[in-house]
Amino acid sequence: MTTAEATITPSLQRSKRFATIALVMAVVTWLMLMLVAKLMPEYVWLIHILMLGAEAGVVGGLADWYAITVLFRNPFGKMPIPKFMLDHTEIIPRNKARIAESMGRFVQENFLSPQVVKKSLQSTDLSLAVGQWLAKPENNAQVTQVIQQTVPKIFEFVGQEQIGRFIQNNSVQWVRNTQINTLASEMLRAILENDFHQDVLQRGLDLAHEWVMSHPEETRQLTRTLFKELGVWKLAKGASWIGIDVQQRTIDSLVERVESMLADPQHPWRQKIEDMGHQLMLELADDESSASHRLNSTKDALLDSPQVLNFISGAVVILCDAIEADLRKPDSGIAQNLRVAIQQVGENIISNPAVRQLLNDRMSGIAVNLSDQYSEKVIRFISERIHEWDSREMIDKIENEVGGDLHMIRVNGVVVGAFIGLVLGIIRALVDLVL
């Protein structure tokens, strides 16, 4: 058995066998009827009708066999035949290039064109499907498991030191090329516009007041050190000889001022801190301001420091070691938190239509952009692969897929031809009878 025969599917074999049997039966019936016509001349009129049906069945079966065969190969082999007939055999192999181009264009126009992609995505809530998938425990557990198994292997394959150097080089280069004053200005703007500074200040004042009240001796020691640094310690000590406790009065004044700031959200000192924050924000927004120059100079000095670079690289290695060690544990805390986070992301996507709409718009835009940029490359790839196919292999593939139905057409040709022949035979007999 040849390779081509070995790859023929059972359904194609059945169809071929059935079609051949039908054609052989039509031929045998036609031959038998010719013999019967000689032996039973008194029934020749009826036999001629049946013979016409058998002849038409044979013609129909042979015509369909020829039509199907020339799609895939030359049924005449090396026989000399007119060129116009030879040019219309092996239709599929001869037109392989045109078929490849047509298939590519069909895929592009019906599946990959930006208009089709956009229309398809507009009728589909992709983000909802993603959210529902992520929200299922078995799915987010599967994603977490893949991450838990993959990340340590990546660390092992690449090496923490290489990852550390990569992050160090790229992060340092990114920070060096970034005007950090702009980032600082925007951060201050976000803090001030959302009143985060008031929360931080309130918390800081609470902690300072609580510490001073609960640590009196440490507070007095701090004021003593402060007075010595300011050079007024001897004066404060001398005042204590006449009954004036400058230290305590300073502490009491400070506590009173902190309590007044805690009690009054509109306290002048609070307002002054906020004004200073706004002023600093505006100065940092100006690339030419002295505050921006000082901040960027400090940044560059830090990035030029070997100690800072070594710290970044070492911190990354330590972090990678910690992540890898945790992910290798069966009860990994990172994996558990990651699974919960993935599930929460899915639930938040499901419950937030605005977020879903934003995600759908972004995904649709990305898909349309990709289809516009890469559809031609995909079509070219498909066409090139079809061009590279061996003609014999391509014929076998196509014939295995659709050959079963094509060969059943041969059976239909025998049956339909026989039926038409019988009808024509009856009509001819009626005409002979009437005339």
Side-chain angles (χ1 to χ4, degrees):
M1 181 179 291
T2 65
T3 304
E5 292 172 342
T7 59
I8 296 177
T9 61
S11 61
L12 177 59
Q13 290 178 339
R14 286 194 300 271
S15 298
K16 279 186 172 182
R17 186 163 52 248
F18 194 19
T20 302
I21 291 173
L23 180 59
V24 169
M25 287 179 62
V27 172
V28 170
T29 301
W30 175 60
L31 293 174
M32 289 179 62
L33 287 173
M34 283 195 298
L35 180 60
V36 171
K38 298 294 184 181
L39 298 176
M40 303 176 66
E42 64 274 17
Y43 297 104
V44 70
W45 63 272
L46 177 59
I47 296 173
H48 280 172
I49 295 175
L50 298 176
M51 282 180 60
L52 187 57
E55 290 174 357
V58 172
V59 172
L62 289 174
D64 286 341
W65 168 82
Y66 176 79
I68 293 169
T69 301
V70 295
L71 287 174
F72 303 104
R73 55 187 63 85
N74 178 9
F76 301 105
K78 298 187 179 299
M79 291 175 55
I81 58 173
K83 186 176 183 301
F84 76 91
M85 294 183 63
L86 183 63
D87 289 343
H88 294 284
T89 61
E90 300 181 303
I91 294 173
I92 293 178
R94 287 176 184 272
N95 294 276
K96 185 173 70 171
R98 190 171 65 183
I99 292 172
E101 186 69 22
S102 298
M103 288 181 66
R105 289 300 164 193
F106 174 81
V107 173
Q108 182 185 34
E109 293 173 2
N110 293 277
F111 298 99
L112 295 180
S113 69
Q115 297 80 5
V116 172
V117 172
K118 185 176 182 180
K119 184 177 179 180
S120 299
L121 292 177
Q122 283 178 344
S123 60
T124 305
D125 195 341
L126 285 179
S127 61
L128 178 60
V130 171
Q132 290 173 338
W133 192 87
L134 292 176
K136 292 182 178 179
E138 60 271 18
N139 293 334
N140 54 60
Q142 184 178 2
V143 173
T144 304
Q145 184 179 11
V146 171
I147 296 174
Q148 188 176 0
Q149 294 174 350
T150 304
V151 172
K153 292 180 180 179
I154 293 176
F155 286 162
E156 183 179 348
F157 178 76
V158 179
Q160 286 93 334
E161 293 185 359
Q162 293 182 5
I163 295 175
R165 285 196 298 270
F166 175 82
I167 294 177
Q168 173 188 312
N169 294 336
N170 286 275
S171 61
V172 168
Q173 188 63 35
W174 178 81
V175 175
R176 192 183 296 277
N177 295 334
T178 301
Q179 291 294 98
I180 199 170
N181 61 291
T182 304
L183 293 177
S185 176
E186 291 301 319
M187 185 180 296
L188 274 174
R189 183 188 301 278
I191 291 173
L192 294 172
E193 289 181 353
N194 292 279
D195 287 335
F196 291 152
H197 63 294
Q198 295 290 356
D199 296 335
V200 174
L201 181 59
Q202 186 75 16
R203 182 59 178 163
L205 291 173
D206 283 334
L207 291 174
H209 182 267
E210 181 182 350
W211 190 88
V212 169
M213 298 304 295
S214 58
H215 299 81
E217 290 301 325
E218 289 84 348
T219 304
R220 290 185 67 84
Q221 181 62 37
L222 283 175
T223 57
R224 187 181 302 117
T225 303
L226 179 61
F227 285 170
K228 287 180 180 181
E229 291 293 331
L230 295 174
V232 296
W233 170 242
K234 292 182 179 180
L235 181 61
K237 191 176 181 181
S240 64
W241 292 345
I242 59 175
I244 302 175
D245 191 346
V246 178
Q247 270 188 283
Q248 191 60 46
R249 287 192 177 189
T250 302
I251 293 172
D252 292 342
S253 176
L254 179 62
V255 170
E256 181 182 355
R257 190 59 58 88
V258 170
E259 289 176 345
S260 64
M261 290 179 67
L262 285 171
D264 183 10
Q266 303 299 325
H267 193 279
W269 280 24
R270 284 178 177 262
Q271 189 60 45
K272 188 171 183 60
I273 293 173
E274 185 166 349
D275 292 341
M276 291 172 60
H278 278 287
Q279 181 62 30
L280 180 60
M281 178 190 73
L282 295 175
E283 289 185 12
L284 292 176
D286 181 8
D287 293 338
E288 303 301 325
S289 67
S290 58
S292 297
H293 283 299
R294 287 196 301 271
L295 184 60
N296 287 318
S297 298
T298 304
K299 173 202 71 174
D300 293 336
L302 288 173
L303 294 178
D304 291 333
S305 171
Q307 291 82 1
V308 173
L309 297 180
N310 291 335
F311 169 78
I312 294 174
S313 180
V316 171
V317 171
I318 293 172
L319 181 61
C320 290
D321 284 334
I323 293 174
E324 181 180 2
D326 183 86
L327 290 176
R328 290 187 183 278
K329 297 178 181 178
D331 56 343
S332 168
I334 295 177
Q336 293 176 3
N337 293 330
L338 184 61
R339 185 188 63 77
V340 173
I342 293 174
Q343 183 167 349
Q344 288 178 346
V345 168
E347 292 172 350
N348 290 335
I349 291 175
I350 294 173
S351 61
N352 196 323
V355 171
R356 290 209 310 272
Q357 184 61 43
L358 177 62
L359 291 174
N360 286 335
D361 291 341
R362 292 292 175 84
M363 289 189 289
S364 177
I366 292 173
V368 170
N369 186 43
L370 289 175
S371 67
D372 186 41
Q373 291 185 11
Y374 296 103
S375 61
E376 286 290 342
K377 295 181 180 179
V378 173
I379 301 316
R380 194 178 306 117
F381 175 81
I382 294 174
S383 299
E384 289 174 355
R385 297 292 77 76
I386 296 176
H387 279 300
E388 292 175 358
W389 281 357
D390 177 72
S391 296
R392 182 69 262 169
E393 181 183 356
M394 183 182 71
I395 291 172
D396 290 341
K397 288 180 181 294
I398 296 175
E399 192 170 12
N400 276 328
E401 293 298 327
V402 300
D405 293 327
L406 292 177
H407 285 287
M408 288 306 297
I409 294 176
R410 293 171 54 193
V411 178
N412 294 337
V414 173
V415 174
V416 173
F419 178 75
I420 293 174
L422 287 174
V423 172
L424 293 177
I426 293 172
I427 293 174
R428 187 177 68 176
L430 292 174
V431 170
D432 290 342
L433 181 62
V434 171
L435 298 179

